[in-house]
Amino acid sequence: MGRRILFIGPPGAGKGTQAALLSRTLGVPHISSGDMLREAVAEGTELGKQAGALMTTGDLVPDDLVVAMVAQRLAKDDAACGFLLDGFPRNLEQADALDRSVGGDAIGIVVLLTVDDDELVHRIMQRAVIAGRSDDSEETIVRRLEVFRSETEPLLRYYPEHGVPTVTVDGSGSVEDVFSRIVMALATER
Ligand code: AP5
Ligand code: MG
């Protein structure tokens, strides 16, 4: 099974949920740029101060800040034998920066999670009630979906063009069913 896995999917697709499960199965760290940024906001660091407002409106945090943050995380020992990236790279500039920083072989396989828009909105509005994420509001969801389509979807051409396989997994249904589909898809691409 590929051990440098990138999860791509629209907001609410289940990237975080599935990456956390797979991280336990594979024994490689789950690295979520969104979680790291939320931590920085909560701690009130300089990065958090620069990121907070942009996250609330659903816009991307500047590439240089995010690239530096994730590069530092990837340099830790526990990422030496693989990692699950969730939410990064999120545009072509970040993908290029990552490839340049590790010599063009950063990602082994891309897992694209697909879920229809109605279900995405439903999941995010449910989470809004319990988790209180600053970007889980109806207005911001529309912006996050736009940003996904314009900034992140181009990666679905970038990686195949760079020889990195992509598996598309139906992200609807139960968490367990989606997880089984991912494990099966990765085993097939082995
Ligand atoms: P980020 O944290 O990456 O958020 P996102 O992409 O909008 O996605 P979510 O975390 O909302 O969804 P998910 O796909 O992880 O789904 P989850 O498992 O949580 O980014 C947030 C912001 O940070 C960005 O907008 C940007 O400002 C900034 N940022 C982050 N990375 C950046 C980068 N690289 N560059 C620049 N800026 C960056 O599931 C969603 C909900 O559904 C949960 O409540 C979950 O419990 C539930 N759920 C999951 N699976 C199922 C299922 N099968 N059935 C029912 N419910 C389910
Ligand atoms: Mg997430």
Side-chain angles (χ1 to χ4, degrees):
M1 201 179 273
R3 297 197 144 230
R4 286 167 292 118
I5 300 171
L6 167 60
F7 276 91
I8 295 182
K15 303 180 295 294
T17 303
Q18 297 298 332
L21 289 173
L22 195 60
S23 162
R24 270 176 249 144
T25 304
L26 297 182
V28 296
H30 167 204
I31 299 176
S32 159
S33 50
D35 287 349
M36 293 170 78
L37 288 168
R38 278 184 288 280
E39 222 167 275
V41 171
E43 288 170 1
T45 64
E46 197 46 48
L47 171 64
K49 284 182 195 142
Q50 296 185 61
L54 290 161
M55 294 173 78
T56 301
T57 54
D59 290 295
L60 295 186
V61 174
D63 293 334
D64 54 340
L65 299 179
V66 181
V67 168
M69 175 187 79
V70 177
Q72 252 183 19
R73 177 64 189 88
L74 288 173
K76 292 196 173 166
D77 287 350
D78 67 340
C81 294
F83 45 77
L84 300 169
L85 280 174
D86 156 13
F88 176 93
R90 216 177 181 91
N91 60 24
L92 294 173
E93 291 71 23
Q94 293 179 12
D96 191 49
L98 178 65
D99 278 341
R100 275 185 285 117
S101 76
V102 298
D105 201 17
I107 304 293
I109 188 163
V110 172
V111 176
L112 168 67
L113 283 178
T114 60
V115 173
D116 69 45
D117 284 4
D118 287 349
E119 172 67 11
L120 297 174
V121 173
H122 176 72
R123 287 184 188 178
I124 290 175
M125 290 320 292
Q126 269 195 328
R127 185 173 60 191
V129 179
I130 39 173
R133 245 175 73 165
S134 72
D135 56 350
D136 283 348
S137 69
E138 235 161 316
E139 314 84 75
T140 305
I141 294 171
V142 173
R143 179 68 190 141
R144 285 159 69 192
L145 281 168
E146 276 172 11
V147 170
F148 174 72
R149 303 234 146 94
S150 61
E151 296 285 322
T152 309
E153 276 190 344
L155 293 177
L156 300 173
R157 287 193 304 277
Y158 175 94
Y159 281 109
E161 281 168 13
H162 286 75
V164 178
T166 300
V167 294
T168 301
V169 174
D170 176 5
S172 58
S174 72
V175 169
E176 296 73 22
D177 284 352
V178 177
F179 185 64
S180 303
R181 285 181 208 131
I182 291 171
V183 170
M184 225 141 53
L186 289 173
T188 315
E189 274 294 327
R190 210 188 157 102

